[in-house]
Amino acid sequence: MAGERDHEAGSETEAGEWREMATPRIPPAEKDEIHFLIRPLIAIAGRAVGGPPPNIFTTLARHGKLFAPWLLFAGRLMPGGSLPRRDTELVILRVAHNTRCRYEWNHHVRIGAKAGLTPAVIERVKGGPGAGGWSEREQALLEATDELHAENFICDATWARLSEFLEHRELIELCMLAGHYEMLAGTINSAGIQPERTSDRGD
């Protein structure tokens, strides 16, 4: 069956902590496969990262009706959210680690560094809220991220700690931020979206 052949072609590989596909199940779209109204958004994405458009954009652009509204929503969370960028990147990196999504992790290592996260802090994210060295606010954010990943629910104690630091709109945003990047990681992992080559990014 076609689905079985596709699965074999993409065959999942275990690379330490990451879940990855050896080849994409859904390859990035070529320019002529992308709706002409979506192409300018893709081009802007490429300029923003200093190279060709990221594979996540050219893959998701295969579903043009979802791509544009998703991009607007995603932009409202990051970088246009109300949470401080440092908080946002800590949450996204923790989601990437929890979901074993190397693609998401690698992108937000770079973005997090621009938001002020040091290499030591980024590495500490892998240890989670119990790693030590976090402020009370950061620990609460990471605990909430872990609870949403494990139970799809933030417990009363963690919610109370978060409420010491976050307003209602920020609490809503935190839940939606973590949920969005969980969804995105699942899509990336399942579609087998591949990392961009270093030479493509101009690094």
Side-chain angles (χ1 to χ4, degrees), residues 96-120:
H97 183 265
N98 286 341
T99 56
R100 301 171 62 197
C101 183
R102 186 199 293 267
Y103 188 96
E104 193 168 87
W105 174 268
N106 286 350
H107 269 266
H108 285 274
V109 164
R110 294 192 293 274
I111 296 170
K114 292 179 181 178
L117 299 182
T118 65

Side-chain angles (χ1 to χ4, degrees), residues 11-189:
S11 62
E12 182 182 353
T13 61
E14 298 291 337
E17 64 205 287
W18 307 113
R19 172 177 286 121
E20 301 180 291
M21 305 297 295
T23 56
R25 285 172 168 169
I26 303 175
E30 299 295 335
K31 183 177 179 179
D32 61 0
E33 296 178 291
I34 298 172
H35 192 283
F36 73 95
L37 292 177
I38 301 296
R39 291 175 195 168
L41 297 177
I42 300 293
I44 291 169
R47 288 197 294 271
V49 298
N55 289 337
I56 187 169
F57 280 10
T58 51
T59 302
L60 297 185
R62 287 186 176 278
H63 196 320
K65 289 184 178 180
L66 280 181
F67 181 78
W70 164 75
L71 194 61
L72 178 62
F73 175 71
R76 291 295 185 185
L77 291 170
M78 194 291 294
S82 58
L83 289 169
R85 286 301 312 282
R86 178 184 174 90
D87 291 354
T88 298
E89 291 306 320
L90 286 174
V91 169
I92 296 171
L93 284 167
R94 186 60 183 167
V95 168
H97 183 265
N98 286 341
T99 56
R100 301 171 62 197
C101 183
R102 186 199 293 267
Y103 188 96
E104 193 168 87
W105 174 268
N106 286 350
H107 269 266
H108 285 274
V109 164
R110 294 192 293 274
I111 296 170
K114 292 179 181 178
L117 299 182
T118 65
V121 168
I122 290 171
E123 186 64 24
R124 195 193 312 151
V125 169
K126 295 179 180 180
W134 302 116
S135 69
E136 291 184 8
R137 177 192 180 101
E138 291 167 343
Q139 186 175 41
L141 288 168
L142 293 171
E143 285 174 346
T145 304
D146 281 6
E147 289 174 12
L148 285 166
H149 175 72
E151 302 290 341
N152 206 26
F153 178 75
I154 299 174
C155 75
D156 289 346
T158 302
W159 189 267
R161 285 194 293 275
L162 285 170
S163 298
E164 295 177 13
F165 306 106
L166 305 183
E167 300 174 352
H168 284 169
R169 69 172 183 168
E170 293 171 321
L171 289 163
I172 293 169
E173 186 174 312
L174 170 62
C175 294
M176 298 190 80
L177 176 72
H180 172 257
Y181 279 90
E182 290 268 349
M183 175 200 73
L184 201 56
T187 304
I188 292 166
N189 287 344

